[in-house]
């Protein structure tokens, strides 16, 4: 393959970082010193070259972490190591929001301005940053670029909604470090931005930011586990970094039981449990497992989708941070039952603590013989590899996730064929998200029939609700399916004092706004379906009268415009037209009046829903449509 490499060379640090990620080069053909005698006997191309493509994302992360951005020379070196054409690698590098192909400071603060943070004062916080730190960073231009030591940028949802407003500090270099920062406003001094921070406090903090010392350790909101909790029963009680502590709490009992039962019996119990997927589609888990297990093609792959990027969603982050060994055990059971020998855990790039804890749990489990060539001495093989995302909401779609793992742009594929027959690397693939898999050990231990007695007839088990927005006690709540929205709101302490409820957003940016008079609805798949709403990924975002709802809709539209992969016209064009119409309404510069703009929004929304390749375009108008026609936000009659 002629790679058409450019003349730019990598720095010694970039070369070292890539070699650390990919291993030392074996010949001049993949980046080592040229040896004419040796290299004439080395064949590196065709199938061998394609087999390395899946390492492109880790290699790009290595470059970014070391230098703060992906230079032309660094990209050249990655392309040579992996035999990827530079234009192809450039297309991948520019696809992800966390990667930069222009010079960037060695410290970057990503400040969330998405919907949950907007409800908790992100606009005021950003105004304060602009005043005390300076304007938002933009890509430098010109031949002689000077890059500051520190910059801040706006960010879509960081998955820290229960601690809004939130931020992510990234420090690059020889010892890179990422840190999520919760309740970021309180770090700007005294009473925080929402209460009017003193300039002195903000000034001192801006100096700390420039020095890379935010000094704020994240801890999620905690409360005693409920008696009927299933997935959260260990959180706050069991050391998440200790395999011994996990086993002492009953961990790995389910894997031992599964091995004793055998694959077919495990799948039978999962089927009997009537467990539905928790990622939003609610597909029967047992049916999916059975379909993968019966595929004759080998190998089979397991993919755990931990790329939760839906604004308002943070449940998977907390599970990985606080009970990582449980996810390793759940993935191992799933792999054992469906004949998968390799599992990929795809963690969103903005979750540094979850990433490190999962890597630690995998390593310790492997050392204990709980992963590897013979799990628990059974002779069955299963191991897990981690892939870190790089800031792309679309990669939560299963086929886009496959492409990302394979080193391609994270664009969805047409279906059929479906992943159970043709998924990752073209092989049968089981895809489940974190919450879905975490139910499996409990099903194995208690039995599918008993598990099915929890919840409702059509929605069995418990559900994790991500409660955020203008509520007194935002956090992660576990409750059996069938709880009402009013009951969940009461569990979270109700509204902030002196506020009036405007609406609740169910399911996230791709979800539905519901009215205050609809909160007696049952939170189950059938209950929300009957109410023409959705549970989606478990988002329960409370919006009161202090929030500018039309501005929130514009932010939702901007989110979908930014996150569209651009592959199909209905989504690529429709998300832009949707945002433009909302801006015109907000600026009172409509083309023929508000109702004509609403009619245009309805038409664009219908086109996106009917013709988009994947769920992003199909749901991009859902929340906005519900605000217009359900809440009557533009003075229309609610319906």
């Amino acid at each position: 393959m002629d790679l058409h490499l450019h003349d730019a060379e990598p720095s010694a640090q970039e070369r070292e970082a890539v070699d650390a990620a990919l291993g030392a080069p074996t010949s001049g053909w993949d980046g080592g010193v040229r040896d004419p005698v040796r290299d004439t006997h080395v064949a590196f191309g065709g199938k061998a070259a394609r087999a390395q493509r899946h390492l492109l994302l880790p290699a790009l992360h290595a470059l970014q972490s070391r230098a703060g951005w992906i230079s032309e020379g660094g990209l050249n070196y990655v392309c040579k190591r992996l035999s990827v054409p530079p234009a192809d690698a450039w297309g991948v590098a520019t696809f992800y929001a966390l990667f930069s192909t222009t010079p960037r400071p060695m410290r970057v603060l990503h400040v969330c301005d998405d919907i949950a943070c907007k409800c908790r004062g992100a606009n005021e916080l950003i105004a304060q940053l602009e005043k005390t730190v300076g304007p938002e960073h933009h890509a430098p231009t010109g031949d002689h670029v000077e890059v500051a030591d520190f910059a801040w940028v706006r960010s879509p949802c960081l998955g820290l909604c229960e601690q809004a407003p939130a931020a992510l500090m990234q420090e690059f270099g020889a010892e890179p470090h990422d840190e999520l920062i919760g309740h970021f406003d309180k770090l700007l001094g005294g009473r925080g931005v929402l209460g009017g921070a003193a300039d002195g406090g903000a000034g001192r903090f801006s100096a700390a930011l420039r020095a890379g010392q935010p000094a704020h350790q994240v801890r999620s909101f905690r409360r005693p586990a409920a008696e009927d909790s299933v997935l959260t029963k260990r959180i706050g009680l069991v050391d998440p970094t200790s395999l011994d502590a996990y086993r002492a709490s009953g961990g790995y009992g389910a894997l031992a039981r599964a091995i004793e039962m055998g694959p077919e019996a495990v799948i039978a119990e999962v089927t009997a449990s009537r467990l539905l997927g928790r990622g939003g589609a609610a597909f029967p888990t047992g049916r999916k497992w059975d379909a993968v297990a019966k595929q004759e093609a080998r190998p089979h792959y397991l993919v755990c989708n931990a790329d939760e990027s839906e604004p308002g969603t943070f449940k998977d982050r907390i599970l990985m941070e606080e009970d990582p060994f449980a996810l390793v055990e759940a993935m191992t059971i799933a792999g054992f039952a469906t004949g998968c020998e390799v599992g990929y855990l795809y963690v969103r790039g903005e979750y540094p603590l979850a990433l490190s804890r999962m890597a630690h749990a995998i390593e310790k489990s492997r050392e204990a013989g709980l992963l590897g060539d013979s799990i628990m001495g059974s002779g069955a093989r299963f191991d897990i590899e981690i892939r870190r995302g790089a800031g792309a909401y679309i990669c939560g779609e299963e086929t886009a996730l496959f492409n990302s793992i394979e080193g391609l742009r994270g664009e969805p594929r047409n279906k059929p064929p479906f992943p159970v027959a043709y998924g990752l690397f073209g092989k049968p693939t089981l895809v489940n998200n974190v919450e879905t898999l975490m139910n499996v050990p409990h099903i194995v231990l208690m039995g599918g029939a008993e598990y099915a007695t929890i919840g409702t007839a059509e929605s069995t088990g418990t559900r994790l609700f991500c409660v955020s927005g203008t509520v007194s006690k935002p956090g992660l709540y576990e409750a059996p399916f069938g709880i009402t929205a009013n009951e969940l709101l009461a569990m979270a302490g109700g509204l902030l004092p002196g506020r009036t409820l405007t609406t609740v957003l169910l399911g996230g940016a791709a979800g539905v706004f519901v009215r205050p008079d609809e909160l007696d609805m049952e939170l189950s798949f059938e209950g929300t379906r009957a109410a023409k709403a959705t549970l989606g990924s478990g988002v329960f975002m409370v919006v009161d009268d202090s929030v500018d709802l039309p501005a929130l809709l514009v932010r939702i539209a901007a989110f979908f415009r930014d996150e569209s992969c651009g592959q199909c016209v209905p989504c690529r064009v429709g998300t832009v037209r949707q945002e433009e119409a909302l801006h015109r309404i907000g600026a009172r510069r409509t083309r023929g009046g508000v109702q004509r703009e609403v009619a245009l929004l309805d038409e664009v929304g219908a086109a996106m829903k009917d013709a988009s390749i994947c769920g992003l375009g199909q749901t991009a108008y859902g929340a906005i449509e519900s605000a217009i026609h359900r809440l009557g936000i533009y003075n229309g009659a609610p319906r």
Side-chain angles (χ1 to χ4, degrees):
M1 178 188 298
D2 187 352
L3 298 182
H4 297 288
L5 296 171
H6 301 285
D7 294 332
E9 292 291 333
S11 67
Q13 293 82 7
E14 289 173 325
R15 187 185 296 269
E16 180 183 343
V18 172
D19 288 347
L22 302 181
T26 58
S27 78
W29 290 107
D30 67 340
V33 177
R34 290 305 302 267
D35 181 339
V37 176
R38 180 186 64 180
D39 290 346
T40 56
H41 302 289
V42 175
F44 189 75
K47 183 177 180 181
R50 291 192 296 273
Q52 302 297 308
R53 178 65 186 256
H54 71 101
L55 297 174
L56 179 57
L57 201 59
L60 294 177
H61 270 298
L63 279 177
Q64 175 94 5
S65 296
R66 184 63 183 87
W69 67 295
I70 298 169
S71 71
E72 185 178 356
L75 191 65
N76 270 347
Y77 186 61
V78 169
C79 292
K80 187 174 183 181
R81 288 293 318 268
L82 299 179
S83 293
V84 176
D88 203 353
W90 174 266
V92 173
T94 55
F95 184 83
Y96 297 95
L98 289 182
F99 290 150
S100 176
T101 53
T102 56
R104 209 178 219 186
M106 296 301 283
R107 298 187 186 95
V108 177
L109 180 74
H110 302 260
V111 182
C112 179
D113 73 338
D114 222 315
I115 52 179
C117 287
K118 278 188 177 295
C119 291
R120 303 291 292 210
N123 290 342
E124 296 91 334
L125 168 63
I126 288 173
Q128 190 76 4
L129 282 171
E130 290 174 335
K131 178 181 178 182
T132 61
V133 179
E136 179 182 5
H137 172 77
H138 294 285
T141 58
D143 295 332
H144 302 286
V145 176
E146 293 185 7
V147 180
D149 292 334
F150 167 79
W152 70 273
V153 295
R154 296 171 187 259
S155 171
C157 183
L158 293 169
L160 202 64
C161 313
E162 85 281 19
Q163 298 181 57
L168 170 69
M169 174 67 89
Q170 288 191 306
E171 294 189 59
F172 308 110
E175 297 181 0
H177 175 71
D178 294 355
E179 182 179 1
L180 277 172
I181 306 172
H183 303 299
F184 185 70
D185 57 312
K186 293 181 172 56
L187 300 185
L188 287 177
R191 293 174 292 162
V193 170
L194 296 179
D199 285 344
R204 287 192 299 274
F205 184 65
S206 69
L209 283 177
R210 294 175 188 278
Q213 299 171 348
H216 187 64
Q217 178 63 41
V218 167
R219 288 295 294 173
S220 297
F221 172 73
R222 294 282 173 264
R223 30 157 237 302
E227 292 182 2
D228 56 359
S229 65
V230 177
L231 304 181
T232 60
K233 65 180 182 181
R234 291 188 183 90
I235 293 180
L237 302 175
V238 176
D239 181 0
T241 65
S242 171
L243 175 58
D244 290 339
Y246 176 69
R247 300 191 80 163
S249 69
Y252 278 106
L255 178 58
R257 174 67 179 140
I259 292 173
E260 179 184 336
M261 293 166 58
E264 292 183 0
V266 172
I267 294 175
E269 292 296 340
V270 173
T271 302
S273 73
R274 303 204 304 279
L275 174 68
L276 300 179
R278 304 297 198 243
F283 191 84
T285 304
R287 189 189 307 173
K288 184 186 291 187
W289 284 31
D290 186 58
V292 172
K294 289 179 177 177
Q295 295 295 321
E296 294 183 359
R298 288 292 190 272
H300 294 177
Y301 291 105
L302 167 66
V303 174
C304 176
N305 185 347
D307 191 54
E308 61 170 4
S309 303
E310 182 72 40
T313 312
F314 50 87
K315 57 189 176 64
D316 292 350
R317 188 202 89 237
I318 292 179
L319 291 177
M320 289 187 289
E321 289 177 351
E322 301 299 333
D323 204 4
F325 288 101
L327 180 56
V328 175
E329 181 180 14
M331 289 182 67
T332 307
I333 294 171
F336 170 76
T338 56
C340 303
E341 294 188 350
V342 177
Y344 286 88
L345 173 61
Y346 191 97
V347 183
R348 71 173 295 192
E350 297 89 342
Y351 282 178
L353 182 58
L355 189 70
S356 65
R357 288 198 169 163
M358 289 308 309
H360 173 78
I362 290 169
E363 179 184 2
K364 293 300 179 183
S365 298
R366 190 181 292 124
E367 290 174 357
L370 302 168
L371 287 174
D373 291 334
S374 181
I375 53 175
M376 284 190 164
S378 65
R381 184 185 184 280
F382 183 75
D383 213 335
I384 298 173
E385 292 188 28
I386 291 180
R387 285 292 182 271
R388 181 188 178 194
Y393 169 74
I394 190 63
C395 288
E397 196 278 336
E398 57 188 8
T399 61
L401 190 155
F402 298 157
N403 280 341
S404 184
I405 292 175
E406 292 177 19
L408 306 171
R409 290 168 62 89
E411 297 174 342
R413 305 172 183 174
N414 286 313
K415 292 184 285 189
F418 294 99
V420 295
Y422 189 92
L424 185 65
F425 304 120
K427 299 297 182 182
T429 304
L430 173 65
V431 188
N432 286 129
N433 75 345
V434 173
E435 184 185 354
T436 305
L437 286 168
M438 292 279 270
N439 281 278
V440 170
H442 305 285
I443 291 170
V444 170
L445 289 175
M446 72 171 59
E450 182 178 348
Y451 179 92
T453 64
I454 304 170
T456 67
E458 295 183 35
S459 307
T460 62
T462 62
R463 187 69 208 258
L464 297 180
F465 295 99
C466 305
V467 182
S468 64
T470 54
V471 65
S472 295
K473 297 178 181 179
L476 184 65
Y477 291 85
E478 181 178 9
F481 279 107
I483 185 176
T484 68
N486 269 322
E487 289 171 336
L488 180 59
L489 181 59
M491 286 175 65
L495 296 175
L496 292 169
R499 302 282 174 81
T500 301
L501 181 65
T502 298
T503 182
V504 171
L505 177 60
L506 291 178
V512 172
F513 285 103
V514 297
R515 300 188 305 271
D517 63 347
E518 295 181 291
L519 297 190
D520 58 348
M521 77 168 61
E522 181 185 89
L523 297 180
S524 63
F525 292 116
E526 66 270 28
T528 52
R529 186 167 56 246
K532 296 182 179 179
T534 178
L535 285 181
S537 56
V539 173
F540 189 91
M541 191 180 299
V542 179
V543 180
D544 67 21
D545 57 335
S546 70
V547 177
D548 184 345
L549 188 54
L552 214 61
L553 298 187
V554 172
R555 183 63 186 88
I556 291 173
F559 172 82
F560 282 112
R561 180 252 300 153
D562 286 340
E563 297 297 337
S564 172
C565 75
Q567 181 181 192
C568 67
V569 172
C571 181
R572 181 177 70 242
V573 177
T575 53
V576 175
R577 296 293 174 260
Q578 176 173 267
E579 184 189 14
E580 290 172 346
L582 291 173
H583 275 298
R584 288 194 297 270
I585 293 173
R588 298 183 180 180
R589 296 177 179 174
T590 61
R591 298 175 177 176
V594 171
Q595 293 310 310
R596 184 172 178 179
E597 296 287 6
V598 168
L600 174 62
L601 282 166
D602 287 342
E603 184 177 342
V604 169
M608 289 193 292
K609 182 177 181 180
D610 292 342
S612 295
I613 288 176
C614 78
L616 188 150
Q618 294 163 11
T619 60
Y621 184 51
I624 296 167
E625 180 183 31
S626 65
I628 294 172
H629 296 300
R630 197 168 193 142
L631 305 183
I633 188 172
Y634 296 126
N635 299 317
R639 66 187 188 198

